[in-house]
Amino acid sequence: MRKTLIVGNWKMHLSTHEASLLAHRLNDHIEAHQDVEVVLAPSVLSLQPLSVQIDRRKFRLAAQNANEHDQGAYTGEVSFTMLHDLVHYVIIGHSERRLYFNEGLETVRDKVAACVRNKITPILCVGETHVERKAGETNQVLHDQVSTALMHLTSRDVQDMVIAYEPVWAISTFGGELAKPADVEAALKRIRLELRELYGDKVADSVRIIYGGSVDDQVAAGYLAVPGCDGLLPGSASLNYHKFSAIVAAAHRQHKQSRESA
Ligand code: PEP
């Protein structure tokens, strides 16, 4: 059974001091679980101090973004090479980056390649906008985003990666409409089908596909129960330690239940 993954995206919130305080609170409220992997994605500034502070039996770190070049004259940027020692994961293709920073399919593809090249696991975010959904283009968007992002990767590169289905219309930043579990199930299936067609059964079954879009402690269990859902990517709710630790507890309960009924 795939380990459930809970990724808290802190976005551009919290000073290093506040981030340290939140990590401290989470440490008090979250127990280490064999079956649930908890990842914190603070601002790039907090990665170094948190890498020293966190209990590695409980938490891993993710960056929210990185530059596709390993080094060079790219003022203000941070590369995957620089993050290599600090993080297990980098979030790539988040809709806020695609929409606010004009990151297109090719940029996302190059970032995924740079991430893998630097031996960091990508958390690739994909998902359709409201307009694309209304036009019935969800499957086409998922196909384009997944197939382009993985274009230069081998089965071995892809097998450990994470794909987050995050419909843009469901993210709190862009309206935060709650997705129906049936819609989430259909999209996750579609993404796994893409992987099956590109890389075969073994890879398709090993990639973790998680869900994000206004997930909080009230709705987490419902999404975790969606067949094929390997975890969650909460944004706003991850800044509240009560909510985030309740989401982790829900993941643990869910995992236990499915193990018992297997
Ligand atoms: C996100 O940051 O990817 C996200 C899904 O945010 P929120 O949970 O706030 O909608």
Side-chain angles (χ1 to χ4, degrees), residues 9 11 94 96 166 170-173 212-215 233-237:
N9 177 13
K11 310 197 189 202
H94 191 279
E96 288 156 19
E166 298 211 302
I171 295 179
S172 59
T173 322
S214 302
V215 171
L233 200 167
S236 310

Side-chain angles (χ1 to χ4, degrees), residues 7-11 91 94-96 125 164-168 170-176 211-216 232-239:
V7 183
N9 177 13
W10 297 358
K11 310 197 189 202
I91 298 172
H94 191 279
S95 55
E96 288 156 19
C125 297
Y165 172 57
E166 298 211 302
V168 178
I171 295 179
S172 59
T173 322
F174 302 108
Y211 176 70
S214 302
V215 171
D216 64 13
L232 300 170
L233 200 167
S236 310
S238 71
L239 294 164

Side-chain angles (χ1 to χ4, degrees), residues 5 21 31 39 48 75 78-79 82 89 94 133 138 142 152 158 160 173 181 189 192 218 229 231 238 244-245:
L5 185 67
L21 214 58
E31 287 172 27
V39 177
Q48 206 284 329
T75 302
V78 171
S79 73
M82 293 166 174
Y89 298 97
H94 191 279
R133 178 173 188 241
T138 300
L142 294 178
H152 298 316
V158 173
D160 296 324
T173 322
K189 255 195 195 143
R192 215 172 283 285
Q218 303 300 308
C229 181
S238 71
F244 191 68
S245 44

